[in-house]
Amino acid sequence: MTGKIFLKLILGVFCLLLLALITVDYTASQVAKDTYIQNLVQQLADKGRMVALSLPEPSTLNPAQARTMAEAAGGRLTVVRSDGKVLVDSEADPAGMENHRTPLRPELMQAFGGEVGWIKRHSATIGIDFLYVAVPYRGGAIRLAVPIAAVYQQVNRVRGRILASTALAFLPAIFIAALFSRWISARFATIMSYAGELARGNLHARLPQTGSSEFAQIAVTLNETAENFQKTVEQLQREHTELERAERIRKDFVINVSHELRTPLASIQGYTETLIDGALSDPDHNMRFLGIIRHNAERLARITEDLLTLSRIEQKRQKFEFEPNLVNGLLNDALELLAPIAEKRRIRLDLALAPADSEAWCDREAVSQILSNLLDNAIKYTPPGGRITVGAHFPDGRLELYVRDTGIGIPAEELPRLFERFYRVDKARSRELGGTGLGLSIVKHLVAAHGGVIRVESRLNEGSTFFFTLPMDESALGQEQLNPEFTTS
């Protein structure tokens, strides 16, 4: 992977250097050509002036002398009179040459005007391209010409030296570019490898963050992205787990409700059919059968009412009226409500009073239901002659109410599931005593609606104690209790 990236980068750098070399070649060639031509024009102009100084009368100059001077000057020599007549030419017969006073030869027109003139042009006489340079001369002009091919040869030599120097100068650049490409390719390879780790699900992988380069900033950004992605995936996993748990609870709930309703319904149906089949006229059994039917109907009513209560609380449709209530008043009301049942079962009820001015910020009916459910359970599982104590204390400055009994107790392994819906420690005895299996679940939700917590301590054959906390003032209520779904007064 690194090799491919390196080859692509070095190829890109090589293409850029080649483009730079072509640009340098073109620009340097143009500059070299222009510079060389300007220098050559200046040299030919100087040579032309020297020829003018050493030239005898044009009428006495013969072709042999003209060729000698042309060789000395390094070019073709032409002497033209001001009227355009060619007097002598080192490479052609003047008699056969046309009149040179014409706009087609602007270099001569400039020289006739007293200036140095030059131009690149094709020679009709010789048939090749020349660089012409003309200087003023007595009564005319002297013109020197060199073939353009010779000019280009010189330019190409200069160009070759420039290219060689430039190429040599590019060698360190290529070496540095190779090192830089290797450095970049290594980092790209690291990033691509990291992306592969993420694609394979390794969200804990992280890029090393060294230095302050752009790659380090990319590493920081990618790590942050991976971290956020990891948090999102973990959140989705938690939500998925919660959904699975909720689905399991829903299925268990449906199964439990069906099971709880099936028993009393079957009993009602069975005894009703028995009465219809003739037992209604049997004085020895008809009243007993009707009593059983009524007992199961009452059980169905209790289950239905508890289910509705639990549903209202869980869906936060239960309305609560939070207000200050004396703690001792809450405890007394609960004891008075359950006292007849406890007396019938020969169970003693004790009250451990709180300080007289102790208050709880709560819904009175909800707390009454909490205490009633806890007391009802305590009475059911406390044998005759036992004792139940209801009281309040203030551990760590918190208000905590409790219901303590001397009943049969609860095994330690059963305590974690005690507040689940329809969960019973002793299922047979619970149904015998008329329990719905929803009482403690309702208690848990009602306590939570007050922003409190409930806990239990128990020892087999020694008894159990249920503790729950209540807020002592309005400030102790959480945002959930203060939102519009709850009514406070």
Side-chain angles (χ1 to χ4, degrees):
M1 183 186 300
T2 305
K4 289 182 179 180
I5 297 174
F6 173 75
L7 287 177
K8 290 179 180 179
L9 287 173
I10 199 65
L11 182 61
V13 171
F14 180 77
C15 290
L16 288 175
L17 291 177
L18 182 61
L19 179 61
L21 187 61
I22 293 172
T23 304
V24 169
D25 175 50
Y26 176 78
T27 305
S29 298
Q30 294 297 320
V31 172
K33 183 176 69 174
D34 293 343
T35 303
Y36 183 76
I37 289 176
Q38 291 295 332
N39 291 337
L40 187 58
V41 167
Q42 186 64 42
Q43 292 175 14
L44 291 176
D46 293 340
K47 289 179 180 180
R49 293 188 187 98
M50 292 176 64
V51 169
L53 292 175
S54 61
L55 190 66
E57 286 295 328
S59 58
T60 64
L61 186 64
N62 59 48
Q65 291 175 323
R67 282 192 292 273
T68 301
M69 289 185 176
E71 289 176 3
R76 178 186 173 188
L77 176 64
T78 305
V79 181
V80 184
R81 203 166 59 191
S82 61
D83 59 1
K85 180 178 175 55
V86 178
L87 297 179
V88 66
D89 189 277
S90 62
E91 297 184 12
D93 183 7
M97 300 176 69
E98 63 181 359
N99 189 287
H100 279 30
R101 191 177 181 88
T102 170
L104 296 176
R105 294 175 174 83
E107 76 282 1
L108 290 174
M109 300 301 291
Q110 285 181 286
F112 294 153
E115 300 177 0
V116 175
W118 70 276
I119 194 172
K120 293 182 291 181
R121 189 179 66 250
H122 184 77
S123 172
T125 304
I126 304 301
I128 60 175
D129 293 337
F130 277 92
L131 171 65
Y132 296 97
V133 179
V135 296
Y137 178 62
R138 295 188 301 270
I142 293 176
R143 186 179 69 182
L144 289 172
V146 294
I148 290 295
V151 174
Y152 287 155
Q153 287 177 359
Q154 292 294 331
V155 170
N156 287 336
R157 281 195 290 270
V158 174
R159 177 187 176 191
R161 289 195 293 269
I162 292 174
L163 283 176
S165 301
T166 305
L168 188 62
F170 278 176
L171 290 178
I174 293 174
F175 177 72
I176 294 172
L179 293 178
F180 186 66
S181 298
R182 175 64 66 182
W183 181 76
I184 290 179
S185 63
R187 275 146 186 81
F188 271 124
T190 302
I191 292 174
M192 292 175 66
S193 175
Y194 174 68
E197 289 293 323
L198 294 182
R200 288 188 290 272
N202 182 12
L203 302 181
H204 297 283
R206 293 293 182 269
L207 279 171
Q209 303 173 15
T210 57
S212 58
S213 65
E214 287 75 9
F215 282 104
Q217 295 176 7
I218 291 174
V220 171
T221 302
L222 289 177
N223 286 341
E224 289 177 352
T225 302
E227 187 174 349
N228 292 334
F229 186 59
Q230 179 183 353
K231 290 179 179 178
T232 301
V233 171
E234 290 174 352
Q235 177 64 26
L236 290 174
Q237 290 174 341
R238 286 194 295 270
E239 291 178 359
H240 180 69
T241 303
E242 287 297 322
L243 287 174
E244 288 183 336
R245 178 175 174 274
E247 180 63 16
R248 287 196 302 271
I249 291 174
R250 184 191 67 81
K251 289 180 179 178
D252 291 344
F253 179 73
V254 171
I255 293 171
N256 288 329
V257 168
S258 301
H259 181 73
E260 292 295 327
L261 295 179
R262 186 183 298 117
T263 301
L265 284 174
S267 180
I268 291 172
Q269 182 179 6
Y271 282 104
T272 302
E273 290 175 353
T274 301
L275 290 171
I276 292 173
D277 289 342
L280 186 62
S281 303
D282 184 354
D284 296 331
H285 298 92
N286 56 9
M287 294 306 296
R288 184 170 66 85
F289 290 168
L290 287 173
I292 294 172
I293 292 172
R294 184 179 69 177
H295 172 77
N296 282 281
E298 290 173 348
R299 175 171 168 74
L300 281 176
R302 286 195 301 272
I303 294 174
T304 304
E305 180 60 30
D306 284 350
L307 284 172
L308 290 174
T309 300
L310 191 58
S311 175
R312 285 195 303 269
I313 298 171
E314 288 182 338
Q315 297 179 23
K316 298 182 179 179
R317 292 186 292 107
Q318 179 77 22
K319 301 299 182 181
F320 295 98
E321 296 184 1
F322 295 102
E323 59 184 2
N325 289 279
L326 290 173
V327 174
N328 289 335
L330 296 172
L331 299 176
N332 270 314
D333 289 348
L335 284 182
E336 288 178 3
L337 189 64
L338 275 296
I341 300 175
E343 184 178 351
K344 185 177 180 180
R345 291 179 58 86
R346 294 184 292 110
I347 295 173
R348 176 181 170 183
L349 294 182
D350 291 338
L351 175 61
L353 292 173
D357 58 349
S358 300
E359 290 186 344
W361 190 269
C362 61
D363 179 280
R364 192 178 190 89
E365 292 298 325
V367 174
S368 175
Q369 187 171 4
I370 294 170
L371 290 171
S372 296
N373 282 359
L374 294 177
L375 279 169
D376 184 58
N377 271 358
I379 291 171
K380 288 176 182 176
Y381 296 103
T382 300
R387 184 176 64 190
I388 298 174
T389 304
V390 180
H393 59 169
F394 298 86
D396 302 323
R398 297 176 297 114
L399 170 60
E400 189 172 61
L401 280 64
Y402 61 88
V403 175
R404 180 179 294 117
D405 64 59
T406 58
I408 61 176
I410 304 167
E413 64 272 13
E414 304 284 354
L415 294 179
R417 300 189 60 189
L418 197 59
F419 296 95
E420 293 180 11
R421 289 173 292 190
F422 296 112
Y423 186 78
R424 298 180 177 89
V425 176
D426 186 342
K427 297 177 176 57
R429 184 172 183 181
S430 294
R431 289 195 178 93
E432 180 185 343
L433 295 173
T436 65
L438 296 171
L440 289 181
S441 183
I442 292 173
V443 167
K444 175 185 175 182
H445 284 79
L446 287 174
V447 171
H450 285 76
V453 292
I454 186 168
R455 61 189 178 90
V456 59
E457 296 176 357
S458 182
R459 289 187 179 182
L460 283 175
N461 303 317
E462 293 184 15
S464 305
T465 305
F466 286 82
F467 302 87
F468 66 95
T469 59
L470 290 177
M472 290 190 291
D473 52 53
E474 188 174 7
S475 64
L477 287 174
Q479 288 299 319
E480 181 180 0
Q481 289 73 40
L482 292 176
N483 85 31
E485 292 175 341
F486 296 92
T487 302
T488 60
S489 60

